[in-house]
């Protein structure tokens, strides 16, 4: 396996690191997207550790910066941000196609990276799979019962609330720092159904770091309905982990799960071949 730095894109404005192992030319390519404004290494080098692990298994990978993030510049095109995301992702797939022969791809994104992966996977038939980490989620009735009921019968919590000075976070409504700007829930449900209908495999991994709006494994189905029971969908709630997977052991467990899902759904021996 060799890692190579590339300047690529329509205006040669994108910067990325590709891992190009000796694999079959039809291997599925794995592309890791930016998490917010964090550049291509990912939070606490999560993207680096993940792509190198997958390289060792034989998967071609690319971690790159979207336009105007990290080391990537602007394309100079007159496009909306959504159009730019789609164009940059297409450039990234083109790079792995030229250098590794990939024709089908798996996108991996955390937080806003999951949002961008969702947008691309909805429209591009080259996307064979997607890993959404702490992506779209909605406060459901089940969430509210699990969140508020234990607090209702906790006298110490009531005493603290009555006696302490409200913090700035409470005054603003207590919204989490890390939050993906939501599409309407009904739209996301339709999007997931459409992805699965096209044969896209989905892996949803949510952490305890977003427990102000997602707090139980049951909430996958509460949010998105019966489509979460489809064989093409894998869900995992990692309650004990924080949003950026700051601990080394947490990152290892996360990567273990992604590796297992990828090897099960896209084994290198026949990766890229539609099921």
């Amino acid at each position: 396996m060799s890692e190579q730095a590339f300047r690529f894109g329509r205006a040669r404005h994108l910067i990325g690191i590709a891992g190009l192992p000796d694999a079959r030319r039809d291997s599925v390519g794995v592309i890791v997207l930016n998490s917010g404004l964090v550049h291509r290494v990912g939070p606490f080098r999560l993207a680096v550790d993940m792509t190198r692990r997958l390289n060792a298994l034989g998967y071609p990978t690319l971690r790159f910066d979207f336009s105007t993030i990290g080391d990537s510049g602007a394309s100079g095109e007159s496009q909306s941000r959504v159009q730019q995301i789609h164009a940059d992702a297409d450039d990234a797939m083109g790079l792995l196609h030229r250098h590794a022969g990939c024709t089908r791809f798996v996108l991996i994104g955390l937080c806003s990276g999951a949002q961008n992966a969702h947008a691309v996977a909805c429209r591009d038939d080259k996307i064979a799979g997607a890993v959404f980490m702490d992506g779209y989620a909605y406060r459901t009735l089940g969430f509210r019962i699990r969140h508020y009921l234990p607090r209702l019968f906790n006298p110490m919590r009531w005493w603290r609330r009555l006696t302490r000075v409200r913090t700035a976070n409470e005054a603003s409504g207590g919204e989490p720092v890390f939050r993906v700007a939501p599409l309407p829930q009904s739209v996301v449900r339709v999007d997931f159904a459409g992805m699965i209908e096209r044969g896209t495999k989905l892996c949803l991994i949510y952490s305890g770091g977003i427990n102000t709006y997602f707090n139980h494994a049951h909430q996958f189905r509460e949010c998105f309905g019966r489509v979460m029971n489809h064989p093409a969908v894998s869900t995992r709630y990692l309650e004990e982990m924080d949003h950026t997977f700051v601990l080394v052991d947490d990152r290892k467990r996360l990567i273990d799960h992604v590796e297992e899902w990828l090897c099960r759904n896209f084994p290198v021996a026949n990766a890229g071949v539609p099921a």
Side-chain angles (χ1 to χ4, degrees):
M1 186 275 291
S2 63
E3 284 189 332
Q4 298 180 36
F6 287 92
R7 180 184 295 276
F8 64 102
R10 302 161 314 289
R12 291 184 54 78
H13 61 299
L14 302 175
I15 301 295
I17 305 294
L20 303 172
D22 297 327
R24 284 180 47 165
R25 297 293 291 179
D26 63 357
S27 294
V28 69
V30 179
I31 300 175
V32 181
L33 308 182
N34 292 108
S35 303
L37 296 178
V38 180
H39 76 305
R40 62 186 175 275
V41 302
F44 303 101
R45 293 178 60 84
L46 174 62
V48 176
D49 294 341
M50 183 176 296
T51 52
R52 288 180 177 173
R53 172 87 75 85
L54 298 179
N55 288 158
L57 296 172
Y59 294 96
T61 67
L62 176 66
R63 55 185 189 272
F64 80 104
D65 293 329
F66 279 118
S67 298
T68 71
I69 295 177
D71 294 317
S72 292
S75 67
E77 300 168 319
S78 179
Q79 292 184 319
S80 69
R81 187 60 182 170
V82 172
Q83 291 171 328
Q84 192 72 66
I85 292 295
H86 283 279
D88 289 352
D90 194 60
D91 285 339
M93 289 184 276
L95 176 72
L96 284 185
H97 175 66
R98 290 190 300 275
H99 292 275
C102 302
T103 58
R104 306 184 79 224
F105 303 89
V106 169
L107 301 179
I108 299 178
L110 168 65
C111 195
S112 64
Q115 179 183 30
N116 292 333
H118 181 110
V120 176
C122 284
R123 298 187 185 181
D124 199 316
D125 290 339
K126 297 190 295 298
I127 305 304
V131 179
F132 302 129
M133 299 183 292
D134 285 355
Y136 290 117
Y138 305 87
R139 293 186 177 105
T140 61
L141 175 61
F143 166 85
R144 289 179 171 85
I145 292 172
R146 293 185 294 269
H147 183 78
Y148 292 111
L149 195 59
R151 292 163 172 77
L152 186 64
F153 297 103
N154 185 337
M156 288 305 298
R157 175 174 286 274
W158 282 105
W159 174 252
R160 288 194 300 269
R161 180 169 288 275
L162 291 171
T163 57
R164 72 186 176 188
V165 177
R166 295 182 72 198
T167 66
N169 188 49
E170 289 172 323
S172 66
E175 287 299 311
V177 175
F178 302 109
R179 183 71 186 269
V180 174
L183 285 173
Q185 186 174 1
S186 59
V187 172
V188 175
R189 283 190 172 206
V190 170
D191 286 347
F192 280 144
M195 292 179 204
I196 291 168
E197 186 176 349
R198 293 196 306 273
T200 309
K201 305 291 180 65
L202 302 179
C203 177
L204 281 69
I205 305 172
Y206 288 11
S207 74
I210 59 170
N211 63 8
T212 53
Y213 59 101
F214 191 98
N215 61 10
H216 198 278
H218 290 166
Q219 202 169 334
F220 288 110
R221 175 153 180 173
E222 292 170 5
C223 286
F224 307 118
R226 289 179 297 176
V227 71
M228 291 291 102
N229 294 334
H230 195 281
V233 179
S234 168
T235 61
R236 185 78 175 269
Y237 178 50
L238 303 174
E239 181 179 11
E240 69 281 8
M241 299 189 189
D242 72 287
H243 179 69
T244 57
F245 303 94
V246 61
L247 299 179
V248 172
D249 285 347
D250 287 351
R251 293 197 298 278
K252 182 181 182 301
R253 285 182 55 202
L254 171 67
I255 295 170
D256 286 345
H257 183 67
V258 173
E259 174 189 322
E260 186 277 330
W261 175 83
L262 194 64
C263 290
R264 174 163 42 87
N265 288 283
F266 306 101
V268 172
N270 61 352
V273 178

